[in-house]
Amino acid sequence: MKHLRSIDELGHDGLVRLLELTNHMVEVNSRPVPKVPALRGRTVVSLFFEDSTRTRLSFETAAKRLSADTMTFSVSTSSVNKGESLRDTVETITDMGVDAFVVRHKSTGIPWQISDWTNASVVNAGDGWHQHPTQALVDCFTVRQALGRERFDGLTLTIVGDIKHSRVARSNISAFSMLGARVVLVAPPTLLPPDVSHWPVEVSHRLDDVLGSTDILYMLRLQSERMSQGHVPNLREYAETFGLDAVRVGRLPSRAVLMHPGPMNRGVEMMVDPSTLPNSLIHQQVSNGVSVRMAVLFDLLAGESSASHLSQVAS
Amino acid sequence: MNRSADVRATTRTVLKGGRVVDSRGEQLADVAIQHGVIVEVGARLTGDHVVDATGCVVAPGFVDLHAHLREPGKEEAETIETGSRAGAKGGYTALVAMPNTDPPQDSVAVIDFVREQGKRAGLVEVVPSGCITLGRKGEALAPMAELAAAGVRIFTDDGNGVQDELLMRRAMEYAKGLGVTLAQHCEVASLTKGAVMNECQCCTSLGLPGWPSLAEELMVFRDIELARLTGARVHFLHLSTARSVELVRAAKRDGLPVTAEVTPHHLSLDDTRLASFDTVFKVNPPLRSPSDIAALRAGVKDGTIDALATDHAPHPRRDKELSLDQAPPGMLGLETALGVALGVLDVDLVHLVRIMSIRPAQIAGIADRHGRDLEVGAPANMVVFDPNVTWQVSPDSLASKSRNTPYIGMTLRGRVRHTFFNGTATVLDGDAQR
């Protein structure tokens, strides 16, 4: 694997391979000294053109635990509006001799453009509304771990909220479907993409109709700018119709688990405190983030002899 | 060696062995030109200089209703000279220059400048269009009477549609009095804010903001009805959707004075190309679905679409290296239009010459000197092309200053061999003469 840019490029076998590899990384992270020399001498650059705390820190922690060197190039969105500086930046950093770019950008497609400008590997840490493959890996791993099963046949994943603008939703729809889950999208039509008829999903506009048949409830963040753009009349109405409150929690089957990619909008999509819910996986999502990203970086950078390197990791 | 010295306007030049194609049909004939005009058409002609046209079509030179020559203002992308050369290589003898220059073509000074730069280059006739509204801002009419007096026959805010209904009505009423044509870029801006690609299943998966067909069709419908109300002549630029074609077909059935054009890229490339995230495929209007492409081709075949127009839109590399949402829309067109058209259109050669030369010359108001039948006395604005030769588009072969074309690397069938502008060879055997 040269790049990790989308779940569809990764494919089913790649997805399963990375999830299996993540188990080894969880073991590494449980050690008293959670660090292995697998990527010693490799350099990983974080290229973040959009604010992110947890994803960037999670990647950097992952790289360090594999003994890679890390560099951070962090630019606020406002100061970058000229793409030629992006190509210059990528080519300049490439000239320094780096092995991977971890890229987040508000524009769809940037990881593909960057991979035309460098011979380093490119990891998509979120591009526009398009893809966020490591988040989907984290979410699949977390469900596997929590439910103790490798495939999701017979399970229903219900994704609630702003599907249209969500890279997390697009990556998760692909990933959970590959593992056999039934996927249900719940949103007002204004927050759905124009035509989802070719996606392996069912669609509902009423959250209360689908809660009873949900095994994994995945709440998406609603950005307040969606209100000014006319996608929803106001946040209160959205919270009333699509927010998770105590009554709706009561309608979920007792076995159902709750997920959220963070950061949460309390009082909007989350009307309850998830820490009071026994089946919330939100903390596990965060803590698994480092292990998943270690697996990704290892898979991309350990090279042909990754099997032998794996013994270093697993020992 | 520069062979143009041998083909001066004073020389009697004979184009030998070609198939003459114009509005009257096809005939095997030699064509002799001298002093800038056709002096004889017939068999076994002789002259001081013979240009081989064996196996080729000899036709009135192509006329592009839609070329962005970028001068003044964006000479980094193209100049009137380089754009003219690209046009000549594509078989064109006249280019309608779009007005979204900087400053825009909303004053006599700029119109005169563009026309003079065209004359200085001397490779094609550069026909400046005028803005409908001042600064293409859609707020107040440009001085259309002054511009018309300076020779402007076609007005457009291309790049922007005129959003305000009342202003467009006034423009049409005013244009009717001047006897000029309004060319509309059909795009209801409120429906395309931030849009990058056709609104379809593809944009759903790619997470790219969708550009609905309706944004074009609403304005096509509105302007057809305004044309019905005012009687003004309206030309629809770069139509891209099946429903737009249907609306124009119905308007023509009603006898309304509307015309329409389509680009080679909308006839040949569909929206799935955006999956490469290559900004070369970002155009305005966006590439549409295969069913739209089929409807556009059918519209050309049944005459609903009058003209093939390139929307030649050069951009420097650094601009096209922006992200998809930030990169400017547009691709080159002049040098590949013929090859693309021959590859995708199911029309005979007379029809091809009609949509690439005769009709656009009429719409641009230059039919006295372009798009004319090849008969004695007509200005020698002609193209000679081989409709069967295949060639691969390479960056080095392009005369345009920019390289933003997805046809690089593709094999096209049909290529321009010679172009004559006012009796002078601008292209001989595929090579620009100046």
Side-chain angles (χ1 to χ4, degrees):
Chain A
M1 187 168 75
K2 171 74 176 172
H3 307 296
L4 177 63
R5 298 178 298 193
S6 74
I7 292 294
D8 285 345
E9 272 187 358
L10 180 63
H12 170 269
D13 294 352
L15 175 67
V16 170
R17 183 180 73 244
L18 288 176
L19 292 173
E20 298 296 331
L21 194 50
T22 301
N23 284 316
H24 293 289
M25 299 305 170
V26 169
E27 187 276 319
V28 168
N29 283 325
S30 69
R31 297 177 194 171
V33 180
K35 185 151 178 148
V36 290
L39 297 184
R40 203 166 46 191
R42 306 286 177 148
T43 303
V44 176
V45 182
S46 318
L47 204 53
F48 275 61
F49 293 90
E50 199 178 59
D51 290 338
S52 156
T53 311
R54 71 183 72 196
T55 304
R56 185 170 60 78
L57 290 179
S58 164
F59 267 109
E60 288 174 6
T61 305
K64 288 186 161 90
R65 289 192 181 166
L66 293 170
S67 302
D69 296 318
T70 59
M71 295 197 284
T72 302
F73 189 94
S74 198
V75 192
S76 75
T77 323
S78 58
S79 66
V80 175
N81 45 33
K82 288 289 179 192
E84 78 263 51
S85 64
L86 174 57
R87 181 176 181 157
D88 286 349
T89 301
V90 168
E91 290 183 345
T92 304
I93 296 172
T94 299
D95 289 343
M96 294 174 189
V98 301
D99 300 286
F101 285 95
V102 177
V103 182
R104 168 167 290 192
H105 200 286
K106 69 177 172 54
S107 300
T108 291
I110 286 285
W112 281 260
Q113 291 177 280
I114 286 180
S115 52
D116 283 341
W117 301 330
T118 181
N119 50 19
S121 290
V122 176
V123 182
N124 184 357
D127 67 320
W129 308 346
H130 180 221
Q131 283 284 311
H132 192 353
T134 59
Q135 180 69 48
L137 284 163
V138 166
D139 295 337
C140 287
F141 184 83
T142 302
V143 171
R144 275 183 150 204
Q145 191 183 45
L147 303 188
R149 49 193 291 178
E150 293 190 352
R151 285 190 55 85
F152 303 154
D153 302 275
L155 294 182
T156 296
L157 167 72
T158 301
I159 306 178
V160 184
D162 187 1
I163 314 286
K164 178 175 183 167
H165 305 98
S166 175
R167 52 195 174 213
V168 172
R170 283 181 177 77
S171 288
N172 267 330
I173 290 165
S174 293
F176 278 82
S177 300
M178 282 176 188
L179 295 177
R182 166 180 175 250
V183 180
V184 178
L185 308 181
V186 184
T190 48
L191 293 178
L192 285 168
D195 183 356
V196 298
S197 60
H198 62 305
W199 278 0
V201 298
E202 294 159 46
V203 174
S204 170
H205 306 307
R206 289 169 53 89
L207 179 56
D208 290 321
D209 289 356
V210 302
L211 285 173
S213 57
T214 293
D215 299 292
I216 306 154
L217 182 65
Y218 202 105
M219 303 300 292
L220 293 173
R221 169 182 171 80
L222 186 83
Q223 294 181 334
S224 56
E225 71 201 58
R226 300 302 168 221
M227 200 171 63
S228 58
Q229 294 163 343
H231 292 92
V232 293
N234 58 62
L235 295 182
R236 186 194 55 79
E237 179 165 300
Y238 179 84
E240 289 281 315
T241 45
F242 295 98
L244 185 65
D245 59 14
V247 175
R248 290 196 169 116
V249 169
R251 290 187 183 131
L252 285 167
S254 56
R255 65 177 187 280
V257 294
L258 171 67
M259 306 182 86
H260 191 295
M264 264 182 286
N265 267 336
R266 292 179 191 267
V268 185
E269 74 271 6
M270 291 299 279
M271 309 286 281
V272 286
D273 181 352
S275 65
T276 65
L277 304 176
N279 290 353
S280 168
L281 300 180
I282 293 173
H283 282 293
Q284 288 91 316
Q285 286 175 276
V286 178
S287 58
N288 285 330
V290 172
S291 301
V292 163
R293 287 166 182 121
M294 286 168 73
V296 169
L297 292 173
F298 180 84
D299 196 70
L300 287 173
L301 301 181
E304 292 302 309
S305 52
S306 59
S308 60
H309 282 76
L310 192 56
S311 60
Q312 290 181 330
V313 175
S315 63
Chain B
M1 169 185 155
N2 188 343
R3 283 167 298 175
S4 65
D6 298 327
V7 197
R8 281 187 299 267
T10 50
T11 323
R12 177 178 156 106
T13 301
V14 173
L15 309 185
K16 204 150 185 62
R19 250 194 301 176
V20 171
V21 176
D22 58 22
S23 77
R24 300 164 302 181
E26 290 189 36
Q27 56 167 328
L28 282 171
D30 301 340
V31 179
I33 59 181
Q34 196 168 17
H35 302 300
V37 296
I38 294 171
V39 292
E40 199 176 355
V41 180
R44 292 182 299 276
L45 300 186
T46 55
D48 311 318
H49 183 84
V50 172
V51 175
D52 181 38
T54 309
C56 290
V57 171
V58 181
F62 298 145
V63 174
D64 190 13
L65 283 168
H66 201 140
H68 295 275
L69 300 180
R70 303 291 188 224
E71 185 181 351
K74 192 78 179 182
E75 292 82 356
E76 180 191 0
E78 195 82 284
T79 64
I80 287 173
E81 184 187 334
T82 58
S84 294
R85 190 170 295 117
K89 287 193 75 174
Y92 290 88
T93 54
L95 305 177
V96 175
M98 288 294 107
N100 57 335
T101 47
D102 183 16
Q105 290 165 206
D106 61 1
S107 70
V108 172
V110 178
I111 294 289
D112 285 347
F113 170 79
V114 169
R115 192 186 288 114
E116 283 308 310
Q117 287 292 80
K119 283 181 184 162
R120 228 165 264 149
L123 294 160
V124 296
E125 180 173 350
V126 173
V127 182
S129 62
C131 298
I132 297 173
T133 70
L134 274 179
R136 300 170 47 254
K137 289 184 180 149
E139 293 164 359
L141 291 184
M144 291 172 64
E146 270 180 38
L147 299 178
V152 176
R153 289 290 168 267
I154 190 161
F155 289 80
T156 177
D157 277 2
D158 183 53
N160 297 330
V162 179
Q163 303 295 315
D164 186 279
E165 293 83 2
L166 179 62
L167 189 63
M168 195 60 201
R169 176 185 176 165
R170 294 282 180 260
M172 284 205 201
E173 290 169 340
Y174 207 67
K176 186 170 190 324
L178 299 171
V180 297
T181 298
L182 297 185
Q184 186 70 282
H185 167 111
C186 291
E187 178 186 350
V188 174
S190 64
L191 289 172
T192 62
K193 197 173 170 211
V196 171
M197 72 171 293
N198 187 32
E199 185 171 290
C200 61
Q201 289 190 345
C202 201
C203 91
T204 292
S205 294
L206 296 177
L208 286 167
W211 187 308
S213 296
L214 182 66
E216 172 175 307
E217 293 149 0
L218 268 180
M219 196 169 280
V220 171
F221 176 77
R222 182 199 73 178
D223 284 3
I224 285 171
E225 294 311 310
L226 285 174
R228 197 190 304 274
L229 183 71
T230 61
R233 280 204 306 273
V234 179
H235 176 69
F236 292 110
L237 301 168
H238 49 45
L239 291 186
S240 67
T241 82
R243 185 93 183 99
S244 292
V245 175
E246 194 46 53
L247 287 166
V248 171
R249 186 176 286 128
K252 288 189 163 186
R253 210 180 291 134
D254 291 350
L256 297 178
V258 298
T259 54
E261 68 181 37
V262 64
T263 71
H265 50 271
H266 288 112
L267 287 169
S268 60
L269 304 170
D270 70 36
D271 48 20
T272 61
R273 300 272 177 174
L274 272 299
S276 65
F277 301 110
D278 188 339
T279 58
V280 79
F281 294 108
K282 184 182 176 186
V283 286
N284 177 355
L287 299 178
R288 299 289 188 186
S289 69
S291 59
D292 289 309
I293 292 176
L296 294 174
R297 292 178 183 177
V300 170
K301 191 167 172 65
D302 75 4
T304 301
I305 305 290
D306 300 85
L308 185 76
T310 66
D311 198 0
H312 180 80
H315 291 292
R317 200 181 78 160
R318 65 185 177 89
D319 283 356
K320 276 292 191 181
E321 279 173 356
L322 296 168
S323 59
L324 264 174
D325 53 347
Q326 291 179 336
M331 63 172 71
L332 303 183
L334 289 168
E335 296 175 74
T336 48
L338 173 70
V340 173
L342 281 168
V344 300
L345 290 175
D346 171 29
V347 296
D348 60 28
L349 288 168
V350 173
H351 195 133
L352 184 83
V353 169
R354 189 180 303 134
I355 63 169
M356 292 192 72
S357 176
I358 301 167
R359 289 295 289 141
Q362 291 165 349
I363 293 165
I366 54 173
D368 58 326
R369 52 199 189 272
H370 295 276
R372 284 181 54 166
D373 288 338
L374 301 187
E375 55 194 10
V376 172
N381 292 317
M382 298 189 298
V383 59
V384 179
F385 65 90
D386 184 337
N388 297 313
V389 69
T390 57
W391 59 293
Q392 197 178 44
V393 184
S394 72
D396 296 341
S397 71
L398 299 174
S400 170
K401 214 166 174 180
S402 293
R403 291 291 177 272
N404 54 307
T405 166
Y407 297 106
I408 287 175
M410 292 193 199
T411 299
L412 303 180
R413 183 173 61 80
R415 190 173 197 182
V416 170
R417 197 163 162 203
H418 319 298
T419 309
F420 285 82
F421 172 56
N422 283 337
T424 302
T426 53
V427 173
L428 279 180
D429 282 320
D431 293 328
Q433 296 301 294
R434 277 189 294 133

